Each structure stands twice: as C-alpha cells, then as structure tokens.
Amino acid sequence: MLALPEAAYSVVTRPLGNSSGSQTLIFLKREIRELLEVSAVDSDAGVKNFRLSEHRLPVAGTYECEPAAVYESTSDSTFFVHSCGTSIKRLDRDNNISLVAGSEARAGSVDGRGGKALFKHISSLAADGKGNVFVANGCRRESRIRVLRVRTGEVVTLRGSEPPRGDSPWCALSYDAAAGVLVAATGTAVCHVLVYGSENSSLGLCAAMQLVAGSWEEDMMVEGSVEKAHFLNIFTILAGRDSRVLVLDMILEETAVHMMEPDGTFRTVATFDFDAGDTCSMAVLAGGELALCTYGPSHDEDEGEDERPCFVAVISGGSGFVPSSEALAGLRPLAPPAEVSARTALPDLLAVPTSGGGEGSDGDSGSSGARSPLVTVRVPGGKAFVAHRSVLAARSEYFKTQLAEGGGFGDSGAAEVTLEDAHPEAFGHLLSYLYTGTVAVPDELLRPTVVLAGRLLLPADCIAQLTVQLLAAATPESVIGDLVWAVQHGMTELVQRLQAYLLRKRKEVKAMGPQACSGLTALLALDQGLGAELMMQMM
C-alpha cells in the first residue's frame, strides 16, 4: 500500500504512444504522478513492488482533479473531472489539458456543446471505445446518465436513465466492450444499461436498464443466486472479460472485492482490513495486477480533506492472490473454490478483450461456464444488436420459443443468434419497444416494422401503437395504397380506419383520377366485397 501526499482520485492506464507497453497514471488532487514497478525483492516468488514517480507529470494547462477519470481510445486521450464536478477536461497524448464540456464557474444539468453544457456532481466516467464517454451526473433524484460525444463535445442526456430508486444515485460506471453494454451501479445495485435511438429522432437517446445483481432498495450482502445477491455500499466497479465485473463493496469496517459473474452470482475474492472511505477508481496494470486508488474516511469532524489518509493499493499474484509485502499489507487472500483453475486468475478475468472478439486466444469463450444473460441478435446487412435473453423472451412469444432449450435457435445458450429476413432498422425500433414500452418509427419504416412485429409475435399494444402511426401518416395520395397493403397483411382494424379516412377525403382522392382508379382496381382484386363497396361510395 502506497501512502500519498494528497487525495488520490483516479488510476488510469494508457498506452505508450506508438511504442509497446503502457503507462499508469495516478490522478491526485493537484498533480499527476506515474505508478512505477520496482524490481521484485524475491524474484523466485514473483512478488512485485510499486512506487510513485519522484516528479509530477508535466502538463500544459490548468489541472485540479475531482473524482473520475477514464482513457478514451479513439482520441488517445484521458478525460477527467475538474473543478467541483462541473466540467470535463482532456489530457491528450502530449499532456496538454483542455476543457471539453461543462463550466468551472456554473453548475446545472443542461445539454449542449462544449461550454454550453452544464454538469452537477459528476461521480463517474466510462468510455465505450467508439467515441462516447458516459457520465454519471447529479445527486439523488437528479441523478442521470449522460453521453459526451468526444469528437464534437456535444452532451446529451439518456432518457429513462434515472435510477428506479430516486434517493440512490448512480455512483459508478464501467463499459463492457465485448458485450457492448454499459454497466452501472448505485450503492446497492448493479445493472446493464442499453442505449437506443439517435439524437435526430423524436425520442433522442434512450436508456433501457435491467438489474443484474443486488437490489434498488435493500442493503445486505449474501453470496449466491441473483435473487439473493445484495450489496451494502458499492464504491466502484470494473467490467472485465467474459462479462465479469469486479465490485468494490463495504462490509462492516472492511472493504471487499467481489467477482460478479454474467448471471449476477458472485463470490468475494479479497478483503481489506481498512475502510476504503471514498474509493474512486480501479484499473488493471500491464502485468495483470489490480490497482485501487482511494482516500480514506474522515474520523475527525475537524479533519480537512487534505488531512485524510490517501493511498494506492495493488492486488498482485495469481489465482491465490499472493499479496505483495509493500502493496498489500492489509489484504487477506481468500482460497479460490476447487473448480476455479489457474486460468481464471484475476489477470485473466480482467484482461481487455483482443480485437478478435469475445473468444479468448485459448479458444474457450466461456471460462466460467455460466450462461450469459446477454445475446447478440444478428440481422441482414451485417448489423447486430445486444439484448437480454429475459427481455426478449418476456415480450416476444417468438423469442420465448426460439430461445428455450431445444428451441429453433438450436443451442439456447448460444452467444449469437441470427434473425433472417428482418429489416435491420425496424428490428432496432422494436427492440427499443421491448425495453421502453413505446415505439416511434419514421413513416418510411412503418410497414416493415409492423410486419416484423407480427412475425415476432409482439404484444397487441405494440401493433396498436404502430397502427395509430400508420393512420396518422396516411394522405389522400397514399390511402388507397395503404388500404391495399393492410388488406394483404390482414390488418382488419387498420383497414376499417383507413376506409373511414378515405371516405372523409373522397373529394381529394377522386381528384387523383387514373391513380385512384388503378388503386381501387387492385383493391377489388384482393377483396371483391370491400373494393366494390368503396367504388360505390366514391361515386
């Protein structure tokens, strides 16, 4: 454990430019230091020691850090929170610091670009590797998840991103790059957050949440099944390989590190004898060690922030978590279960996935054997959507059957399934409905979306919403064509409502002349009774 001269807010590992290797930075309150590895005292035991660099990192620009920092690969920059949690700054490859979004002088919750965006109490950042930084912003009932577009500096708020329990705000974010899912935590719950929509749509960007482990309200910790897995006081989280997540939690006066599996079950892998207080960050070092950056709790009401104990702790070793004498004086290793092999050691569990995708280099993509709650649905055009199996099965009779054991998708636990002959954008809108209960589709996508909704056997409410939108999109020029299409697809209610619309607009429709006659002839060929009735009424 390394004692620090001032509050330590974040630990970030970034690549060393064009060369191989990486650099670990410790973001202190007023300066940045590098975490350096010291030659092992006992080389046979493989124990590593660490120290801080003697000199601060030379930076160009104003630096004063608050909790939260993250490396973002598309810009090759580290983003950190500055000045009382109201602005986000960038540390680039050349160590230049610049303001990206927010204000050092004003607080608020306003979307916009650059300095026009306002933040209030940023508690965590997470980067998706696609040019987006997710921001946990606000206290208590004002807590929301927002998105910073790195390239433009634009900030937007995810609709529906408030925690279900209003007085328990988001405290930690981490991004599962392999699954394409944001992992978010309150003090007692860990959930997956899926993002749908676009900034150009009427709904904007929407968040759909599913609880994975813990409880929105309870504060008890019991290892075991997802129904019983609860946490006391989550400080921070870190997503790793195979959709596992490290959770740093407070148990009585100890700090515990839990390894959470994809199905929400977890086991405690290590405990510390100290109270972590306000632990702000976890990161994996180049050698696979886990670094915790923290400042301890205040035990004296008159004790200022600068007087509180501050330190960096490093968990090193293999599956037995052999502690380093210098880094982990307070760590008590826990014996791993018998079925946990050496390949599930901490470095392996937290390794960043290779560019090759979800399977590891050893060819085994599921070391835990647990069935992932997520499934990738591939549609024509090379597009893929990540969703929760339980949500698909609960809201779609088609998926309920196909994802069941022995169902049409074959292996019910497969990580990916293919939906043949599905319109990609239509499926995206319907997936949003499965999570949010609302569907808003551009006029040009209404027909393929309705057809796909019927094929997937979605709830009648979904068809009803789309029917209303189809009717609202009808015009005198399109109504006969819409009728023909509705008859072809057996949409009885829509046929009746379009028929009433046509009669209200009969003058405008008759004015179309040959085009109207051609449409009525096509309708007559499909449904002789309806076609003849409309021809009589149009005369």
Side-chain angles (χ1 to χ4, degrees):
M1 196 182 311
L2 306 179
L4 303 176
E6 60 181 16
Y9 285 137
S10 290
V11 53
V12 174
T13 299
R14 67 178 184 178
L16 284 171
N18 296 325
S19 62
S20 59
S22 61
Q23 177 186 43
T24 300
L25 300 178
I26 304 297
F27 284 73
L28 304 172
K29 184 173 181 61
R30 299 179 183 87
E31 63 184 41
I32 304 173
R33 297 287 186 100
E34 186 175 357
L35 184 65
L36 303 173
E37 181 183 333
V38 182
S39 299
V41 176
D42 186 351
S43 58
D44 293 334
V47 176
K48 298 179 182 179
N49 292 310
F50 297 86
R51 66 175 177 83
L52 289 186
S53 60
E54 296 180 0
H55 303 286
R56 68 178 64 185
L57 187 76
V59 299
T62 305
Y63 174 84
E64 185 174 343
C65 189
E66 291 292 328
V70 67
Y71 174 75
E72 200 284 314
S73 59
T74 67
S75 61
D76 192 18
S77 300
T78 300
F79 290 78
F80 66 93
V81 180
H82 179 87
S83 183
C84 300
T86 59
S87 65
I88 298 176
K89 289 194 170 185
R90 180 205 312 260
L91 176 73
D92 67 16
R93 171 55 53 191
D94 298 321
N95 297 328
N96 298 310
I97 293 177
S98 59
L99 178 67
V100 179
S103 169
E104 297 179 30
R106 294 187 299 155
S109 297
V110 179
D111 289 348
R113 180 170 296 184
K116 293 182 179 180
L118 296 179
F119 296 100
K120 184 177 181 180
H121 188 73
I122 299 174
S123 58
S124 185
L125 302 176
D128 65 359
K130 303 173 185 177
N132 302 305
V133 173
F134 294 94
V135 184
N137 178 224
C139 302
R140 297 186 178 274
R141 297 186 183 278
E142 296 180 353
S143 184
R144 299 290 187 277
I145 298 175
R146 304 170 73 185
V147 183
L148 167 64
R149 303 292 197 189
V150 170
R151 182 175 299 178
T152 63
E154 186 80 19
V155 176
V156 295
T157 300
L158 295 182
R159 291 189 56 176
S161 64
E162 60 274 11
R165 180 181 170 184
D167 59 347
S168 183
W170 299 117
C171 66
L173 303 176
S174 188
Y175 195 81
D176 185 340
V181 174
L182 178 67
V183 185
T186 65
T188 59
V190 179
C191 73
H192 286 155
V193 180
L194 295 167
V195 180
Y196 296 103
S198 70
E199 295 177 55
N200 298 322
S201 71
S202 58
L203 291 177
L205 290 176
C206 299
M209 292 176 287
Q210 184 176 44
L211 183 67
V212 178
S215 168
W216 297 120
E217 298 182 359
E218 297 182 34
D219 54 354
M220 57 181 291
M221 196 285 294
V222 181
E223 293 185 44
S225 66
V226 66
E227 292 81 11
K228 295 182 179 180
H230 296 282
F231 303 101
L232 287 173
N233 186 14
I234 296 174
F235 291 123
T236 189
I237 59 176
L238 181 63
R241 205 174 82 175
D242 298 329
S243 294
R244 292 183 174 90
V245 179
L246 274 186
V247 181
L248 202 68
D249 188 25
M250 183 67 189
I251 305 176
L252 299 178
E253 294 183 356
E254 295 181 334
T255 298
V257 181
H258 308 302
M259 182 68 73
M260 192 182 79
E261 297 294 335
D263 62 358
T265 59
F266 70 94
R267 59 187 175 90
T268 302
V269 295
T271 60
F272 292 91
D273 289 330
F274 57 80
D275 181 344
D278 296 303
T279 299
C280 302
S281 180
M282 291 192 290
V284 178
L285 307 184
E289 299 84 7
L290 177 69
L292 308 178
C293 190
T294 182
Y295 61 95
S298 175
H299 300 291
D300 187 341
E301 293 182 358
D302 298 327
E303 185 179 47
E305 183 178 283
D306 292 339
E307 299 175 307
R308 296 167 67 177
C310 310
F311 47 83
V312 172
V314 181
I315 301 177
S316 60
S319 59
F321 297 97
V322 178
S324 161
S325 59
E326 179 183 54
L328 291 176
L331 178 67
R332 294 204 308 273
L334 301 183
E339 67 272 15
V340 178
S341 64
R343 65 181 297 276
T344 59
L346 182 65
D348 181 58
L349 293 171
L350 297 179
V352 177
T354 63
S355 58
E359 293 191 358
S361 58
D362 59 1
D364 185 355
S365 61
S367 60
S368 71
R371 173 176 167 177
S372 171
L374 302 175
V375 62
T376 298
V377 181
R378 296 199 173 274
V379 295
K383 291 190 176 183
F385 299 82
V386 178
H388 291 87
R389 296 175 187 273
S390 59
V391 173
L392 294 177
R395 303 282 280 165
S396 164
E397 290 296 323
Y398 173 84
F399 278 113
K400 180 179 180 180
T401 301
Q402 299 296 315
L403 289 174
E405 184 176 354
F409 286 139
D411 181 5
S412 60
E416 294 186 359
V417 298
T418 300
L419 194 60
E420 301 289 353
D421 302 323
H423 192 291
E425 294 183 39
F427 181 73
H429 286 288
L430 291 178
L431 192 57
S432 178
Y433 167 80
L434 295 180
Y435 280 90
T436 66
T438 59
V439 57
V441 182
D443 292 350
E444 65 273 14
L445 287 178
L446 282 169
R447 291 185 182 182
T449 304
V450 170
V451 172
L452 185 57
R455 174 185 165 190
L456 298 180
L457 301 176
L458 298 191
D461 171 67
C462 179
I463 305 297
Q465 290 187 45
L466 290 169
T467 298
V468 171
Q469 294 177 49
L470 277 165
L471 189 63
T475 66
E477 292 78 15
S478 71
V479 64
I480 297 181
D482 293 337
L483 262 172
V484 170
W485 179 84
V487 171
Q488 288 175 327
H489 291 86
M491 302 187 68
T492 305
E493 182 180 354
L494 181 60
V495 168
Q496 294 173 351
R497 300 177 78 172
L498 286 172
Q499 181 180 359
Y501 175 85
L502 186 151
L503 294 177
R504 291 198 306 270
K505 301 290 184 179
R506 61 165 61 90
K507 291 183 179 180
E508 292 94 327
V509 175
K510 287 176 65 175
M512 295 165 54
Q515 181 180 347
C517 292
S518 176
L520 288 172
T521 301
L523 183 61
L524 184 64
L526 285 173
D527 188 326
Q528 188 172 6
L530 177 62
E533 180 183 352
L534 283 175
M535 285 184 173
M536 290 290 294
Q537 293 172 330
M538 291 290 291
M539 293 179 62

